[in-house]
Amino acid sequence: GSIEIGRRLTEAKALVKHGQWGAWLKDRIDYSQRTANNFMRIYKEYGETGLAEKSQSIANLSYTHALALLDVPAEERAKFAEEKNAQDMKIKELQEAIKTLKAAAFLKAKSETKQRMEEIQKLEAKAKQAEANKQAEVKKQLDIAIAKEREELKRANDTVDSLQSEIKELTKK
């Protein structure tokens, strides 16, 4: 029934002029916008997607149970409802089970994030080492080039000195 109410509210909202939805709800059916939004969300998540038709454990849920299960990720919802026998649980029990599921999902995400951060740190360290190695190689190549240039300069200076000595000798003669 909640799915059907949500479907009809969704259709009605599409027909009501912009900005008139709240007044229409109050005048016609005496629902708050929050309640109407909840019904429409139930329709969208369970009816429009066909989930209620595919899963008996979803189709048999009460309004409050269906609403509570919206806190379970869509891809896990039917399996969770079936495994926990959600339709037969008291709403407090269901909310507690959902809370536990969310806590476990949070811890898993936190662990995965920590692992990713460690991988990033390892990659950053490798990048720094590679950069240091690259800089060391460049420095080595520069040192070799500088040494060759100094050697050539020394030979050129030696040649200049030798030629100056020859010029002096020739000038004396």
PDB file of all heavy atoms in Angstrom, residues 2-3 5-10 13 21 33-49 51 63 66-74 77 102:
ATOM      1  N   SER A   2       1.953   1.243   0.734  1.00  0.00           N
ATOM      2  CA  SER A   2       2.819   2.427   0.800  1.00  0.00           C
ATOM      3  C   SER A   2       3.402   2.751  -0.569  1.00  0.00           C
ATOM      4  O   SER A   2       3.529   3.923  -0.934  1.00  0.00           O
ATOM      5  CB  SER A   2       3.969   2.195   1.785  1.00  0.00           C
ATOM      6  OG  SER A   2       3.473   1.984   3.083  1.00  0.00           O
ATOM      7  N   ILE A   3       3.719   1.719  -1.308  1.00  0.00           N
ATOM      8  CA  ILE A   3       4.272   1.927  -2.647  1.00  0.00           C
ATOM      9  C   ILE A   3       3.224   2.575  -3.540  1.00  0.00           C
ATOM     10  O   ILE A   3       3.513   3.530  -4.273  1.00  0.00           O
ATOM     11  CB  ILE A   3       4.771   0.592  -3.250  1.00  0.00           C
ATOM     12  CG1 ILE A   3       5.966   0.082  -2.444  1.00  0.00           C
ATOM     13  CG2 ILE A   3       5.138   0.752  -4.720  1.00  0.00           C
ATOM     14  CD1 ILE A   3       6.405  -1.331  -2.779  1.00  0.00           C
ATOM     15  N   ILE A   5       0.598   4.373  -2.613  1.00  0.00           N
ATOM     16  CA  ILE A   5       0.379   5.750  -2.156  1.00  0.00           C
ATOM     17  C   ILE A   5       1.498   6.643  -2.694  1.00  0.00           C
ATOM     18  O   ILE A   5       1.251   7.747  -3.201  1.00  0.00           O
ATOM     19  CB  ILE A   5       0.305   5.815  -0.612  1.00  0.00           C
ATOM     20  CG1 ILE A   5      -0.954   5.108  -0.115  1.00  0.00           C
ATOM     21  CG2 ILE A   5       0.343   7.258  -0.123  1.00  0.00           C
ATOM     22  CD1 ILE A   5      -0.980   4.883   1.401  1.00  0.00           C
ATOM     23  N   GLY A   6       2.727   6.178  -2.608  1.00  0.00           N
ATOM     24  CA  GLY A   6       3.871   6.935  -3.119  1.00  0.00           C
ATOM     25  C   GLY A   6       3.781   7.179  -4.605  1.00  0.00           C
ATOM     26  O   GLY A   6       4.108   8.274  -5.090  1.00  0.00           O
ATOM     27  N   ARG A   7       3.324   6.167  -5.348  1.00  0.00           N
ATOM     28  CA  ARG A   7       3.170   6.316  -6.807  1.00  0.00           C
ATOM     29  C   ARG A   7       2.151   7.396  -7.114  1.00  0.00           C
ATOM     30  O   ARG A   7       2.375   8.283  -7.940  1.00  0.00           O
ATOM     31  CB  ARG A   7       2.744   4.992  -7.449  1.00  0.00           C
ATOM     32  CG  ARG A   7       2.620   5.075  -8.985  1.00  0.00           C
ATOM     33  CD  ARG A   7       2.078   3.788  -9.586  1.00  0.00           C
ATOM     34  NE  ARG A   7       0.691   3.542  -9.247  1.00  0.00           N
ATOM     35  CZ  ARG A   7      -0.357   4.178  -9.804  1.00  0.00           C
ATOM     36  NH1 ARG A   7      -0.169   5.101 -10.711  1.00  0.00           N
ATOM     37  NH2 ARG A   7      -1.589   3.888  -9.438  1.00  0.00           N
ATOM     38  N   ARG A   8       1.010   7.358  -6.425  1.00  0.00           N
ATOM     39  CA  ARG A   8      -0.045   8.336  -6.678  1.00  0.00           C
ATOM     40  C   ARG A   8       0.382   9.747  -6.255  1.00  0.00           C
ATOM     41  O   ARG A   8       0.065  10.724  -6.932  1.00  0.00           O
ATOM     42  CB  ARG A   8      -1.324   7.914  -5.977  1.00  0.00           C
ATOM     43  CG  ARG A   8      -1.932   6.677  -6.643  1.00  0.00           C
ATOM     44  CD  ARG A   8      -3.211   6.270  -6.016  1.00  0.00           C
ATOM     45  NE  ARG A   8      -3.686   5.016  -6.605  1.00  0.00           N
ATOM     46  CZ  ARG A   8      -4.932   4.615  -6.537  1.00  0.00           C
ATOM     47  NH1 ARG A   8      -5.842   5.352  -5.919  1.00  0.00           N
ATOM     48  NH2 ARG A   8      -5.275   3.473  -7.083  1.00  0.00           N
ATOM     49  N   LEU A   9       1.097   9.840  -5.165  1.00  0.00           N
ATOM     50  CA  LEU A   9       1.605  11.147  -4.746  1.00  0.00           C
ATOM     51  C   LEU A   9       2.614  11.693  -5.760  1.00  0.00           C
ATOM     52  O   LEU A   9       2.621  12.898  -6.056  1.00  0.00           O
ATOM     53  CB  LEU A   9       2.238  11.062  -3.356  1.00  0.00           C
ATOM     54  CG  LEU A   9       1.266  10.937  -2.184  1.00  0.00           C
ATOM     55  CD1 LEU A   9       2.032  10.610  -0.907  1.00  0.00           C
ATOM     56  CD2 LEU A   9       0.455  12.212  -2.015  1.00  0.00           C
ATOM     57  N   THR A  10       3.444  10.820  -6.290  1.00  0.00           N
ATOM     58  CA  THR A  10       4.420  11.220  -7.302  1.00  0.00           C
ATOM     59  C   THR A  10       3.708  11.758  -8.537  1.00  0.00           C
ATOM     60  O   THR A  10       4.093  12.800  -9.095  1.00  0.00           O
ATOM     61  CB  THR A  10       5.341  10.033  -7.673  1.00  0.00           C
ATOM     62  OG1 THR A  10       6.024   9.608  -6.490  1.00  0.00           O
ATOM     63  CG2 THR A  10       6.357  10.419  -8.730  1.00  0.00           C
ATOM     64  N   LYS A  13       2.061  15.161  -7.647  1.00  0.00           N
ATOM     65  CA  LYS A  13       3.035  16.255  -7.541  1.00  0.00           C
ATOM     66  C   LYS A  13       3.418  16.772  -8.914  1.00  0.00           C
ATOM     67  O   LYS A  13       3.626  17.976  -9.100  1.00  0.00           O
ATOM     68  CB  LYS A  13       4.280  15.798  -6.776  1.00  0.00           C
ATOM     69  CG  LYS A  13       5.253  16.938  -6.521  1.00  0.00           C
ATOM     70  CD  LYS A  13       6.410  16.533  -5.653  1.00  0.00           C
ATOM     71  CE  LYS A  13       7.295  17.758  -5.393  1.00  0.00           C
ATOM     72  NZ  LYS A  13       8.451  17.420  -4.607  1.00  0.00           N
ATOM     73  N   TRP A  21       2.636  22.519  -3.837  1.00  0.00           N
ATOM     74  CA  TRP A  21       2.603  21.141  -3.350  1.00  0.00           C
ATOM     75  C   TRP A  21       2.188  21.053  -1.880  1.00  0.00           C
ATOM     76  O   TRP A  21       1.321  20.279  -1.496  1.00  0.00           O
ATOM     77  CB  TRP A  21       3.950  20.473  -3.586  1.00  0.00           C
ATOM     78  CG  TRP A  21       4.063  19.045  -3.132  1.00  0.00           C
ATOM     79  CD1 TRP A  21       4.971  18.555  -2.246  1.00  0.00           C
ATOM     80  CD2 TRP A  21       3.267  17.930  -3.525  1.00  0.00           C
ATOM     81  NE1 TRP A  21       4.795  17.207  -2.079  1.00  0.00           N
ATOM     82  CE2 TRP A  21       3.741  16.791  -2.863  1.00  0.00           C
ATOM     83  CE3 TRP A  21       2.185  17.774  -4.393  1.00  0.00           C
ATOM     84  CZ2 TRP A  21       3.203  15.532  -3.004  1.00  0.00           C
ATOM     85  CZ3 TRP A  21       1.637  16.509  -4.548  1.00  0.00           C
ATOM     86  CH2 TRP A  21       2.134  15.413  -3.857  1.00  0.00           C
ATOM     87  N   GLN A  33       4.537  17.455   4.226  1.00  0.00           N
ATOM     88  CA  GLN A  33       5.431  17.224   3.085  1.00  0.00           C
ATOM     89  C   GLN A  33       6.415  16.102   3.399  1.00  0.00           C
ATOM     90  O   GLN A  33       6.758  15.321   2.517  1.00  0.00           O
ATOM     91  CB  GLN A  33       6.186  18.511   2.725  1.00  0.00           C
ATOM     92  CG  GLN A  33       5.345  19.431   1.874  1.00  0.00           C
ATOM     93  CD  GLN A  33       6.158  20.550   1.279  1.00  0.00           C
ATOM     94  OE1 GLN A  33       6.298  21.587   1.888  1.00  0.00           O
ATOM     95  NE2 GLN A  33       6.667  20.336   0.088  1.00  0.00           N
ATOM     96  N   ARG A  34       6.817  16.013   4.641  1.00  0.00           N
ATOM     97  CA  ARG A  34       7.753  14.958   5.029  1.00  0.00           C
ATOM     98  C   ARG A  34       7.132  13.582   4.834  1.00  0.00           C
ATOM     99  O   ARG A  34       7.772  12.678   4.280  1.00  0.00           O
ATOM    100  CB  ARG A  34       8.170  15.152   6.491  1.00  0.00           C
ATOM    101  CG  ARG A  34       9.166  14.132   6.946  1.00  0.00           C
ATOM    102  CD  ARG A  34       9.608  14.400   8.357  1.00  0.00           C
ATOM    103  NE  ARG A  34      10.577  13.406   8.752  1.00  0.00           N
ATOM    104  CZ  ARG A  34      11.113  13.342   9.938  1.00  0.00           C
ATOM    105  NH1 ARG A  34      10.806  14.226  10.859  1.00  0.00           N
ATOM    106  NH2 ARG A  34      11.967  12.401  10.237  1.00  0.00           N
ATOM    107  N   THR A  35       5.898  13.415   5.283  1.00  0.00           N
ATOM    108  CA  THR A  35       5.220  12.124   5.111  1.00  0.00           C
ATOM    109  C   THR A  35       5.053  11.806   3.630  1.00  0.00           C
ATOM    110  O   THR A  35       5.329  10.686   3.185  1.00  0.00           O
ATOM    111  CB  THR A  35       3.846  12.136   5.821  1.00  0.00           C
ATOM    112  OG1 THR A  35       4.067  12.371   7.211  1.00  0.00           O
ATOM    113  CG2 THR A  35       3.113  10.824   5.630  1.00  0.00           C
ATOM    114  N   ALA A  36       4.603  12.797   2.859  1.00  0.00           N
ATOM    115  CA  ALA A  36       4.432  12.599   1.413  1.00  0.00           C
ATOM    116  C   ALA A  36       5.767  12.235   0.768  1.00  0.00           C
ATOM    117  O   ALA A  36       5.838  11.317  -0.062  1.00  0.00           O
ATOM    118  CB  ALA A  36       3.853  13.849   0.773  1.00  0.00           C
ATOM    119  N   ASN A  37       6.825  12.944   1.154  1.00  0.00           N
ATOM    120  CA  ASN A  37       8.154  12.646   0.598  1.00  0.00           C
ATOM    121  C   ASN A  37       8.586  11.228   0.948  1.00  0.00           C
ATOM    122  O   ASN A  37       9.203  10.536   0.130  1.00  0.00           O
ATOM    123  CB  ASN A  37       9.183  13.651   1.096  1.00  0.00           C
ATOM    124  CG  ASN A  37       9.016  15.013   0.472  1.00  0.00           C
ATOM    125  OD1 ASN A  37       8.372  15.165  -0.563  1.00  0.00           O
ATOM    126  ND2 ASN A  37       9.575  16.029   1.103  1.00  0.00           N
ATOM    127  N   ASN A  38       8.267  10.791   2.166  1.00  0.00           N
ATOM    128  CA  ASN A  38       8.602   9.419   2.560  1.00  0.00           C
ATOM    129  C   ASN A  38       7.880   8.400   1.687  1.00  0.00           C
ATOM    130  O   ASN A  38       8.470   7.429   1.226  1.00  0.00           O
ATOM    131  CB  ASN A  38       8.286   9.188   4.035  1.00  0.00           C
ATOM    132  CG  ASN A  38       9.283   9.854   4.949  1.00  0.00           C
ATOM    133  OD1 ASN A  38      10.405  10.167   4.556  1.00  0.00           O
ATOM    134  ND2 ASN A  38       8.878  10.091   6.184  1.00  0.00           N
ATOM    135  N   PHE A  39       6.573   8.615   1.474  1.00  0.00           N
ATOM    136  CA  PHE A  39       5.812   7.700   0.612  1.00  0.00           C
ATOM    137  C   PHE A  39       6.385   7.698  -0.811  1.00  0.00           C
ATOM    138  O   PHE A  39       6.536   6.634  -1.424  1.00  0.00           O
ATOM    139  CB  PHE A  39       4.329   8.087   0.570  1.00  0.00           C
ATOM    140  CG  PHE A  39       3.520   7.554   1.711  1.00  0.00           C
ATOM    141  CD1 PHE A  39       2.899   8.417   2.616  1.00  0.00           C
ATOM    142  CD2 PHE A  39       3.346   6.189   1.893  1.00  0.00           C
ATOM    143  CE1 PHE A  39       2.141   7.930   3.671  1.00  0.00           C
ATOM    144  CE2 PHE A  39       2.589   5.684   2.947  1.00  0.00           C
ATOM    145  CZ  PHE A  39       1.984   6.560   3.834  1.00  0.00           C
ATOM    146  N   MET A  40       6.704   8.873  -1.317  1.00  0.00           N
ATOM    147  CA  MET A  40       7.243   8.949  -2.686  1.00  0.00           C
ATOM    148  C   MET A  40       8.615   8.285  -2.765  1.00  0.00           C
ATOM    149  O   MET A  40       8.940   7.638  -3.764  1.00  0.00           O
ATOM    150  CB  MET A  40       7.309  10.404  -3.156  1.00  0.00           C
ATOM    151  CG  MET A  40       5.935  11.005  -3.381  1.00  0.00           C
ATOM    152  SD  MET A  40       5.922  12.643  -4.139  1.00  0.00           S
ATOM    153  CE  MET A  40       6.773  13.625  -2.923  1.00  0.00           C
ATOM    154  N   ARG A  41       9.390   8.422  -1.718  1.00  0.00           N
ATOM    155  CA  ARG A  41      10.702   7.763  -1.696  1.00  0.00           C
ATOM    156  C   ARG A  41      10.548   6.243  -1.645  1.00  0.00           C
ATOM    157  O   ARG A  41      11.286   5.508  -2.310  1.00  0.00           O
ATOM    158  CB  ARG A  41      11.505   8.264  -0.494  1.00  0.00           C
ATOM    159  CG  ARG A  41      12.942   7.840  -0.532  1.00  0.00           C
ATOM    160  CD  ARG A  41      13.776   8.618   0.448  1.00  0.00           C
ATOM    161  NE  ARG A  41      15.077   7.980   0.551  1.00  0.00           N
ATOM    162  CZ  ARG A  41      15.718   7.753   1.684  1.00  0.00           C
ATOM    163  NH1 ARG A  41      15.206   8.158   2.821  1.00  0.00           N
ATOM    164  NH2 ARG A  41      16.875   7.144   1.691  1.00  0.00           N
ATOM    165  N   ILE A  42       9.582   5.769  -0.867  1.00  0.00           N
ATOM    166  CA  ILE A  42       9.305   4.324  -0.825  1.00  0.00           C
ATOM    167  C   ILE A  42       8.909   3.846  -2.213  1.00  0.00           C
ATOM    168  O   ILE A  42       9.379   2.801  -2.683  1.00  0.00           O
ATOM    169  CB  ILE A  42       8.217   4.005   0.232  1.00  0.00           C
ATOM    170  CG1 ILE A  42       8.810   4.146   1.637  1.00  0.00           C
ATOM    171  CG2 ILE A  42       7.631   2.608   0.029  1.00  0.00           C
ATOM    172  CD1 ILE A  42       7.785   4.068   2.761  1.00  0.00           C
ATOM    173  N   TYR A  43       8.048   4.609  -2.881  1.00  0.00           N
ATOM    174  CA  TYR A  43       7.660   4.241  -4.249  1.00  0.00           C
ATOM    175  C   TYR A  43       8.885   4.196  -5.160  1.00  0.00           C
ATOM    176  O   TYR A  43       9.087   3.223  -5.894  1.00  0.00           O
ATOM    177  CB  TYR A  43       6.624   5.230  -4.809  1.00  0.00           C
ATOM    178  CG  TYR A  43       6.492   5.117  -6.298  1.00  0.00           C
ATOM    179  CD1 TYR A  43       5.951   3.969  -6.881  1.00  0.00           C
ATOM    180  CD2 TYR A  43       6.925   6.137  -7.140  1.00  0.00           C
ATOM    181  CE1 TYR A  43       5.858   3.850  -8.262  1.00  0.00           C
ATOM    182  CE2 TYR A  43       6.835   6.022  -8.508  1.00  0.00           C
ATOM    183  CZ  TYR A  43       6.303   4.880  -9.069  1.00  0.00           C
ATOM    184  OH  TYR A  43       6.214   4.751 -10.429  1.00  0.00           O
ATOM    185  N   LYS A  44       9.695   5.240  -5.101  1.00  0.00           N
ATOM    186  CA  LYS A  44      10.870   5.311  -5.982  1.00  0.00           C
ATOM    187  C   LYS A  44      11.826   4.145  -5.733  1.00  0.00           C
ATOM    188  O   LYS A  44      12.314   3.520  -6.670  1.00  0.00           O
ATOM    189  CB  LYS A  44      11.598   6.637  -5.774  1.00  0.00           C
ATOM    190  CG  LYS A  44      12.793   6.808  -6.668  1.00  0.00           C
ATOM    191  CD  LYS A  44      13.494   8.124  -6.409  1.00  0.00           C
ATOM    192  CE  LYS A  44      14.719   8.203  -7.308  1.00  0.00           C
ATOM    193  NZ  LYS A  44      15.650   9.206  -6.901  1.00  0.00           N
ATOM    194  N   GLU A  45      12.098   3.849  -4.468  1.00  0.00           N
ATOM    195  CA  GLU A  45      13.097   2.834  -4.123  1.00  0.00           C
ATOM    196  C   GLU A  45      12.588   1.394  -4.247  1.00  0.00           C
ATOM    197  O   GLU A  45      13.366   0.489  -4.532  1.00  0.00           O
ATOM    198  CB  GLU A  45      13.621   3.069  -2.705  1.00  0.00           C
ATOM    199  CG  GLU A  45      14.373   4.372  -2.539  1.00  0.00           C
ATOM    200  CD  GLU A  45      15.692   4.405  -3.292  1.00  0.00           C
ATOM    201  OE1 GLU A  45      16.357   3.352  -3.410  1.00  0.00           O
ATOM    202  OE2 GLU A  45      16.053   5.490  -3.772  1.00  0.00           O
ATOM    203  N   TYR A  46      11.298   1.189  -4.004  1.00  0.00           N
ATOM    204  CA  TYR A  46      10.777  -0.180  -4.001  1.00  0.00           C
ATOM    205  C   TYR A  46       9.866  -0.476  -5.193  1.00  0.00           C
ATOM    206  O   TYR A  46       9.887  -1.579  -5.723  1.00  0.00           O
ATOM    207  CB  TYR A  46       9.999  -0.469  -2.711  1.00  0.00           C
ATOM    208  CG  TYR A  46      10.825  -0.359  -1.455  1.00  0.00           C
ATOM    209  CD1 TYR A  46      10.487   0.555  -0.458  1.00  0.00           C
ATOM    210  CD2 TYR A  46      11.937  -1.158  -1.247  1.00  0.00           C
ATOM    211  CE1 TYR A  46      11.233   0.655   0.714  1.00  0.00           C
ATOM    212  CE2 TYR A  46      12.687  -1.054  -0.089  1.00  0.00           C
ATOM    213  CZ  TYR A  46      12.331  -0.148   0.877  1.00  0.00           C
ATOM    214  OH  TYR A  46      13.070  -0.051   2.022  1.00  0.00           O
ATOM    215  N   GLY A  47       9.064   0.483  -5.579  1.00  0.00           N
ATOM    216  CA  GLY A  47       8.093   0.252  -6.653  1.00  0.00           C
ATOM    217  C   GLY A  47       8.641   0.561  -8.024  1.00  0.00           C
ATOM    218  O   GLY A  47       8.588  -0.262  -8.930  1.00  0.00           O
ATOM    219  N   GLU A  48       9.176   1.764  -8.180  1.00  0.00           N
ATOM    220  CA  GLU A  48       9.693   2.190  -9.485  1.00  0.00           C
ATOM    221  C   GLU A  48      10.827   1.302  -9.957  1.00  0.00           C
ATOM    222  O   GLU A  48      10.963   1.030 -11.136  1.00  0.00           O
ATOM    223  CB  GLU A  48      10.160   3.647  -9.374  1.00  0.00           C
ATOM    224  CG  GLU A  48      10.267   4.364 -10.683  1.00  0.00           C
ATOM    225  CD  GLU A  48      10.580   5.839 -10.468  1.00  0.00           C
ATOM    226  OE1 GLU A  48      11.716   6.183 -10.057  1.00  0.00           O
ATOM    227  OE2 GLU A  48       9.676   6.656 -10.701  1.00  0.00           O
ATOM    228  N   THR A  49      11.637   0.834  -9.042  1.00  0.00           N
ATOM    229  CA  THR A  49      12.781  -0.025  -9.391  1.00  0.00           C
ATOM    230  C   THR A  49      12.357  -1.481  -9.606  1.00  0.00           C
ATOM    231  O   THR A  49      13.118  -2.284 -10.119  1.00  0.00           O
ATOM    232  CB  THR A  49      13.851  -0.005  -8.281  1.00  0.00           C
ATOM    233  OG1 THR A  49      13.285  -0.529  -7.083  1.00  0.00           O
ATOM    234  CG2 THR A  49      14.385   1.386  -8.050  1.00  0.00           C
ATOM    235  N   LEU A  51      11.820  -3.539  -7.158  1.00  0.00           N
ATOM    236  CA  LEU A  51      12.378  -4.342  -6.070  1.00  0.00           C
ATOM    237  C   LEU A  51      11.288  -5.084  -5.296  1.00  0.00           C
ATOM    238  O   LEU A  51      11.456  -6.254  -4.947  1.00  0.00           O
ATOM    239  CB  LEU A  51      13.205  -3.469  -5.130  1.00  0.00           C
ATOM    240  CG  LEU A  51      13.907  -4.172  -3.970  1.00  0.00           C
ATOM    241  CD1 LEU A  51      14.864  -5.249  -4.484  1.00  0.00           C
ATOM    242  CD2 LEU A  51      14.668  -3.170  -3.114  1.00  0.00           C
ATOM    243  N   TYR A  63       4.991   0.181   6.347  1.00  0.00           N
ATOM    244  CA  TYR A  63       5.499   1.513   6.015  1.00  0.00           C
ATOM    245  C   TYR A  63       6.739   1.845   6.839  1.00  0.00           C
ATOM    246  O   TYR A  63       7.758   2.272   6.298  1.00  0.00           O
ATOM    247  CB  TYR A  63       4.392   2.558   6.252  1.00  0.00           C
ATOM    248  CG  TYR A  63       4.870   3.982   6.234  1.00  0.00           C
ATOM    249  CD1 TYR A  63       5.085   4.632   5.029  1.00  0.00           C
ATOM    250  CD2 TYR A  63       5.111   4.676   7.427  1.00  0.00           C
ATOM    251  CE1 TYR A  63       5.514   5.954   5.001  1.00  0.00           C
ATOM    252  CE2 TYR A  63       5.552   5.990   7.409  1.00  0.00           C
ATOM    253  CZ  TYR A  63       5.754   6.626   6.199  1.00  0.00           C
ATOM    254  OH  TYR A  63       6.185   7.917   6.169  1.00  0.00           O
ATOM    255  N   ALA A  66       9.676  -0.362   5.797  1.00  0.00           N
ATOM    256  CA  ALA A  66      10.167   0.037   4.465  1.00  0.00           C
ATOM    257  C   ALA A  66      10.961   1.335   4.570  1.00  0.00           C
ATOM    258  O   ALA A  66      12.017   1.483   3.950  1.00  0.00           O
ATOM    259  CB  ALA A  66       9.002   0.203   3.499  1.00  0.00           C
ATOM    260  N   LEU A  67      10.461   2.249   5.362  1.00  0.00           N
ATOM    261  CA  LEU A  67      11.141   3.527   5.550  1.00  0.00           C
ATOM    262  C   LEU A  67      12.493   3.317   6.231  1.00  0.00           C
ATOM    263  O   LEU A  67      13.504   3.888   5.808  1.00  0.00           O
ATOM    264  CB  LEU A  67      10.259   4.450   6.385  1.00  0.00           C
ATOM    265  CG  LEU A  67      10.592   5.923   6.388  1.00  0.00           C
ATOM    266  CD1 LEU A  67      10.589   6.487   4.979  1.00  0.00           C
ATOM    267  CD2 LEU A  67       9.596   6.672   7.257  1.00  0.00           C
ATOM    268  N   ALA A  68      12.530   2.501   7.261  1.00  0.00           N
ATOM    269  CA  ALA A  68      13.784   2.230   7.968  1.00  0.00           C
ATOM    270  C   ALA A  68      14.814   1.589   7.040  1.00  0.00           C
ATOM    271  O   ALA A  68      15.999   1.929   7.078  1.00  0.00           O
ATOM    272  CB  ALA A  68      13.539   1.332   9.178  1.00  0.00           C
ATOM    273  N   LEU A  69      14.356   0.689   6.184  1.00  0.00           N
ATOM    274  CA  LEU A  69      15.286  -0.018   5.283  1.00  0.00           C
ATOM    275  C   LEU A  69      15.879   0.889   4.214  1.00  0.00           C
ATOM    276  O   LEU A  69      16.843   0.498   3.545  1.00  0.00           O
ATOM    277  CB  LEU A  69      14.594  -1.208   4.623  1.00  0.00           C
ATOM    278  CG  LEU A  69      14.591  -2.485   5.450  1.00  0.00           C
ATOM    279  CD1 LEU A  69      13.771  -3.563   4.764  1.00  0.00           C
ATOM    280  CD2 LEU A  69      15.988  -2.990   5.711  1.00  0.00           C
ATOM    281  N   LEU A  70      15.333   2.081   4.051  1.00  0.00           N
ATOM    282  CA  LEU A  70      15.919   3.010   3.087  1.00  0.00           C
ATOM    283  C   LEU A  70      17.321   3.432   3.505  1.00  0.00           C
ATOM    284  O   LEU A  70      18.090   3.928   2.689  1.00  0.00           O
ATOM    285  CB  LEU A  70      15.016   4.240   2.903  1.00  0.00           C
ATOM    286  CG  LEU A  70      13.697   3.972   2.190  1.00  0.00           C
ATOM    287  CD1 LEU A  70      12.854   5.238   2.144  1.00  0.00           C
ATOM    288  CD2 LEU A  70      13.919   3.416   0.791  1.00  0.00           C
ATOM    289  N   ASP A  71      17.656   3.200   4.771  1.00  0.00           N
ATOM    290  CA  ASP A  71      19.012   3.505   5.238  1.00  0.00           C
ATOM    291  C   ASP A  71      20.029   2.436   4.843  1.00  0.00           C
ATOM    292  O   ASP A  71      21.239   2.625   5.040  1.00  0.00           O
ATOM    293  CB  ASP A  71      19.030   3.679   6.764  1.00  0.00           C
ATOM    294  CG  ASP A  71      18.465   5.016   7.193  1.00  0.00           C
ATOM    295  OD1 ASP A  71      18.399   5.941   6.360  1.00  0.00           O
ATOM    296  OD2 ASP A  71      18.076   5.139   8.373  1.00  0.00           O
ATOM    297  N   VAL A  72      19.540   1.332   4.304  1.00  0.00           N
ATOM    298  CA  VAL A  72      20.423   0.264   3.824  1.00  0.00           C
ATOM    299  C   VAL A  72      20.713   0.559   2.351  1.00  0.00           C
ATOM    300  O   VAL A  72      19.795   0.896   1.595  1.00  0.00           O
ATOM    301  CB  VAL A  72      19.740  -1.125   3.966  1.00  0.00           C
ATOM    302  CG1 VAL A  72      20.598  -2.225   3.365  1.00  0.00           C
ATOM    303  CG2 VAL A  72      19.442  -1.408   5.434  1.00  0.00           C
ATOM    304  N   PRO A  73      21.965   0.451   1.916  1.00  0.00           N
ATOM    305  CA  PRO A  73      22.266   0.696   0.503  1.00  0.00           C
ATOM    306  C   PRO A  73      21.360  -0.140  -0.409  1.00  0.00           C
ATOM    307  O   PRO A  73      21.078  -1.303  -0.128  1.00  0.00           O
ATOM    308  CB  PRO A  73      23.734   0.272   0.363  1.00  0.00           C
ATOM    309  CG  PRO A  73      24.297   0.433   1.747  1.00  0.00           C
ATOM    310  CD  PRO A  73      23.166   0.097   2.680  1.00  0.00           C
ATOM    311  N   ALA A  74      20.891   0.492  -1.478  1.00  0.00           N
ATOM    312  CA  ALA A  74      19.909  -0.120  -2.374  1.00  0.00           C
ATOM    313  C   ALA A  74      20.328  -1.515  -2.838  1.00  0.00           C
ATOM    314  O   ALA A  74      19.507  -2.429  -2.885  1.00  0.00           O
ATOM    315  CB  ALA A  74      19.647   0.790  -3.576  1.00  0.00           C
ATOM    316  N   ARG A  77      19.722  -4.033   0.030  1.00  0.00           N
ATOM    317  CA  ARG A  77      18.462  -3.947   0.760  1.00  0.00           C
ATOM    318  C   ARG A  77      17.674  -5.253   0.770  1.00  0.00           C
ATOM    319  O   ARG A  77      17.264  -5.728   1.836  1.00  0.00           O
ATOM    320  CB  ARG A  77      17.626  -2.823   0.139  1.00  0.00           C
ATOM    321  CG  ARG A  77      16.605  -2.281   1.053  1.00  0.00           C
ATOM    322  CD  ARG A  77      15.957  -1.038   0.454  1.00  0.00           C
ATOM    323  NE  ARG A  77      16.883   0.092   0.523  1.00  0.00           N
ATOM    324  CZ  ARG A  77      16.959   1.041  -0.392  1.00  0.00           C
ATOM    325  NH1 ARG A  77      16.169   1.031  -1.438  1.00  0.00           N
ATOM    326  NH2 ARG A  77      17.815   2.021  -0.252  1.00  0.00           N
ATOM    327  N   LYS A 102      25.439  -0.391   9.234  1.00  0.00           N
ATOM    328  CA  LYS A 102      26.087   0.863   8.860  1.00  0.00           C
ATOM    329  C   LYS A 102      27.432   1.018   9.566  1.00  0.00           C
ATOM    330  O   LYS A 102      28.403   1.490   8.969  1.00  0.00           O
ATOM    331  CB  LYS A 102      25.166   2.044   9.160  1.00  0.00           C
ATOM    332  CG  LYS A 102      23.979   2.122   8.210  1.00  0.00           C
ATOM    333  CD  LYS A 102      22.941   3.134   8.644  1.00  0.00           C
ATOM    334  CE  LYS A 102      23.350   4.524   8.310  1.00  0.00           C
ATOM    335  NZ  LYS A 102      22.283   5.506   8.594  1.00  0.00           N
TER     336      LYS A 102
END
